[in-house]
Amino acid sequence: MTVDLAVIAAYLLGMVALGWWGMRRATSKSDYLVAGRRLGPLMYAGTMAAVVLGGASTVGGIGLGYTYGISGAWLVVAIGVGILALHLFFAKRVSRLRVFTVSEMLDLRYGGNSRVVSGLVMWGYTFVLTVPSTLAFSTIFSGLFDLPRAVAIIVGGSIVVLYSTMGGMWSVTMTDMAQFVIKTIGLVLILTPVAIWSAGGFSGMREALAPSYFGPTAIGGETILTYFVIYSLGLLIGQDIWQRVFTGRNDRVARTGGIGAGIYCLVYGVCGALIGTAAAVLFPDLANPDDAFTMIVEATLPVGLAGLVIAAALSAVMSTASGALIACSTVTSTDLWPQVRRLFGRGTGPAEGRGDDEIASNRIFTLVLGAATIGVALAVDNVVAALTLAYNLLVGGLLIAILGGLVWRRGTRAGALASMLAGSVAVIVTMALTGMLANEPIYVGLGTALVVYVAVSLLTPPTDPAVLSVWQSRLRGHDAPPEGTGTGAAGAAAQTPASRDD
């Protein structure tokens, strides 16, 4: 236990050290929010995989494997498919826009200002996404070291907040890359084969478990479909994911690295399901399937390696938590805070145009939001319903307006705003009628948003040709604004053409 604790302590100190290194590199708003848009394909792939494979994909994915067998992989497979779809069909366009947030993209495409609606929905999604990741620290620490729940949340959450606040996306990128390597070694290369061997190999698992454990659809067709609708579609438009796309050096890096990350997610999902299936052989009567991870680590791995695998699980949790936190901070500073200042007649943002002050203000937002996340995590026991609400609002409220803007020229700002409002209201009303965890709200929200978007767009005047001209020019990789300037439609139109950063 002492050796394992030493390994974990070294890992946590390493994360803080990387945060300090990132702080020294973050010298501009672009550095702090999108790592200067300088990542190559390998680092891009590692950080993209790290941010989407969190506690739900690791501890939760193993738990699904424990309950359903091989079909428990569908949750993470849906995540992998979402990443592949994003990078095969949309990442090239997203990367060329040179914006910081999804809401900026909407302003650029439709003209005017739609940030209040889209920014609030995206803020709620990113904030709620941070909370369950912070809660996962208590599951890992208390399960292995008998730490009180509150202590585990505060320790783990504080480390994430510390390195995220120091260096922003540069710190998050470097820690994510380290976490990606640790996850690959600890969970994919060590725990998966050891768990299968300890359970008697594939033949031993087949003899010990019911045939349903090896059926590809045992988890249920409706559940599989819902995973794809919520997670695959949600990953197409989430601020935490788009912000990673913005870090790529150019659109080719984003496409290549993203495809690699998507394939890695598919492998990771199968490994988690296999570990959970092996745990079902070794520990058939667990009351909580999520305990399968800690049980199989304790039972199968020697001292030292167990600490490494625990660090791998912490890596998964921290990467998602830090990615969501920096995304929430970016939405706050870029989309919402300027609107608050404008409301009170104080301009568009704090210290605009002064790099050091911009970074300082973004650090304040990250620190405050991180502290709020820890506070919420301490106050609640289960945020599954809140997380479901966040994803339903994200997909039901924003998906049609965002993807419609990317693929349909006739879509208008009025159509986008009406779609966002109608889809969000439909989701909330349906959840109130059918229950927080029901599958129907996401489908009702998407259907409502689609009908309203098409109808209102066709009934309102087309988007201003000047706005569309700026949009098309940006999609072709031209007229990208200097980093740190406004990127809305009006601001973009005023910029002089700049060569593409390839």
Side-chain angles (χ1 to χ4, degrees):
M1 186 65 71
T2 302
V3 174
D4 289 336
L5 282 171
V7 171
I8 295 168
Y11 161 75
L12 295 175
L13 288 173
M15 296 302 101
V16 175
L18 287 172
W20 177 263
W21 180 89
M23 182 175 68
R24 297 174 65 85
R25 293 206 62 170
T27 59
S28 68
K29 177 181 178 180
S30 177
D31 286 333
Y32 193 86
L33 297 183
V34 289
R37 307 188 196 271
R38 295 202 294 268
L39 300 192
L42 180 61
M43 187 169 287
Y44 181 98
T47 58
M48 179 62 75
V51 75
V52 297
L53 297 174
S57 303
T58 304
V59 177
I62 291 172
L64 288 174
Y66 180 89
T67 304
Y68 300 104
I70 300 302
S71 68
W74 281 113
L75 170 64
V76 184
V77 167
I79 291 172
V81 169
I83 292 298
L84 286 171
L86 171 65
H87 289 88
L88 285 171
F89 302 114
F90 300 109
K92 186 175 182 179
R93 299 180 181 185
V94 171
S95 175
R96 289 179 174 180
L97 293 177
R98 291 306 203 227
V99 295
F100 290 110
T101 68
V102 174
S103 297
E104 282 186 286
M105 168 264 169
L106 291 171
D107 283 358
L108 183 66
R109 165 60 181 82
Y110 294 111
N113 190 334
S114 59
R115 292 189 187 185
V116 174
V117 177
S118 58
L120 284 173
V121 174
M122 195 64 74
W123 186 92
Y125 159 73
T126 52
F127 183 81
V128 173
L129 186 63
T130 310
V131 174
S133 300
T134 306
L135 271 174
F137 292 120
S138 65
T139 302
I140 297 172
F141 280 130
S142 61
L144 288 164
F145 306 119
D146 295 323
L147 283 177
R149 173 181 177 275
V151 173
I153 291 173
I154 292 172
V155 170
S158 296
I159 291 172
V160 170
V161 173
L162 178 61
Y163 72 69
S164 300
T165 299
M166 285 194 296
M169 187 58 82
W170 265 124
S171 293
V172 171
T173 295
M174 296 310 299
T175 53
D176 275 359
M177 197 61 197
Q179 290 159 359
F180 170 75
V181 172
I182 294 171
K183 279 193 290 191
T184 302
I185 296 173
L187 290 168
V188 177
L189 300 180
I190 294 178
L191 185 58
T192 301
V194 169
I196 294 172
W197 180 82
S198 299
F202 290 106
S203 59
M205 290 193 293
R206 285 187 176 276
E207 291 176 4
L209 298 171
S212 63
Y213 270 81
F214 302 92
T217 59
I219 198 171
E222 184 178 356
T223 298
I224 295 172
L225 177 61
T226 301
Y227 283 159
F228 278 95
V229 171
I230 292 179
Y231 297 108
S232 297
L233 296 182
L235 287 169
L236 293 180
I237 59 173
Q239 171 65 29
D240 52 327
I241 309 305
W242 276 40
Q243 200 157 339
R244 298 311 174 100
V245 176
F246 302 151
T247 65
R249 188 163 55 239
N250 53 50
D251 55 89
R252 292 189 297 275
V253 166
R255 184 182 178 92
T256 304
I259 291 173
I263 294 172
Y264 179 86
C265 290
L266 302 181
V267 174
Y268 196 88
V270 173
C271 288
L274 289 173
I275 294 169
T277 304
V281 176
L282 299 173
F283 317 103
D285 300 314
L286 292 180
N288 183 359
D290 287 346
D291 292 336
F293 168 74
T294 54
M295 294 293 292
I296 202 164
V297 169
E298 288 181 323
T300 62
L301 295 179
V303 171
L305 279 181
L308 177 64
V309 173
I310 296 165
L314 286 172
S315 296
V317 174
M318 285 184 164
S319 57
T320 299
S322 60
L325 177 59
I326 200 68
C328 189
S329 173
T330 303
V331 171
T332 303
S333 65
T334 304
D335 296 331
L336 299 181
W337 183 245
Q339 308 304 317
V340 174
R341 289 178 62 87
R342 184 178 292 112
L343 181 65
F344 290 97
R346 298 190 61 189
T348 59
E352 189 164 314
R354 299 194 297 274
D356 292 342
D357 291 340
E358 280 189 328
I359 295 174
S361 64
N362 277 284
R363 285 195 176 112
I364 292 172
F365 286 125
T366 305
L367 180 62
V368 171
L369 290 168
T373 297
I374 294 173
V376 172
L378 290 171
V380 301
D381 292 322
N382 191 328
V383 294
V384 173
L387 185 62
T388 302
L389 172 62
Y391 264 102
N392 283 348
L393 283 174
L394 175 71
V395 176
L398 298 184
L399 179 77
I400 299 300
I402 293 171
L403 296 190
L406 288 170
V407 302
W408 193 38
R409 184 182 178 88
R410 185 60 179 81
T412 66
R413 178 173 179 265
L417 286 173
S419 172
M420 288 188 282
L421 290 171
S424 299
V425 171
V427 164
I428 294 171
V429 171
T430 309
M431 291 184 83
L433 295 175
T434 61
M436 293 289 287
L437 301 179
N439 293 327
E440 291 83 0
I442 187 66
Y443 300 108
V444 174
L446 276 173
T448 302
L450 177 60
V451 170
V452 170
Y453 180 71
V454 173
V456 175
S457 292
L458 293 176
L459 291 172
T460 53
T463 303
D464 186 340
V467 172
L468 285 178
S469 176
V470 172
W471 168 258
Q472 292 295 334
S473 179
R474 191 76 70 83
L475 287 179
R476 290 191 294 269
H478 304 300
D479 296 334
E483 294 292 0
T485 64
T487 52
Q495 299 296 337
T496 57
S499 61
R500 194 169 138 217
D501 180 19
D502 285 341

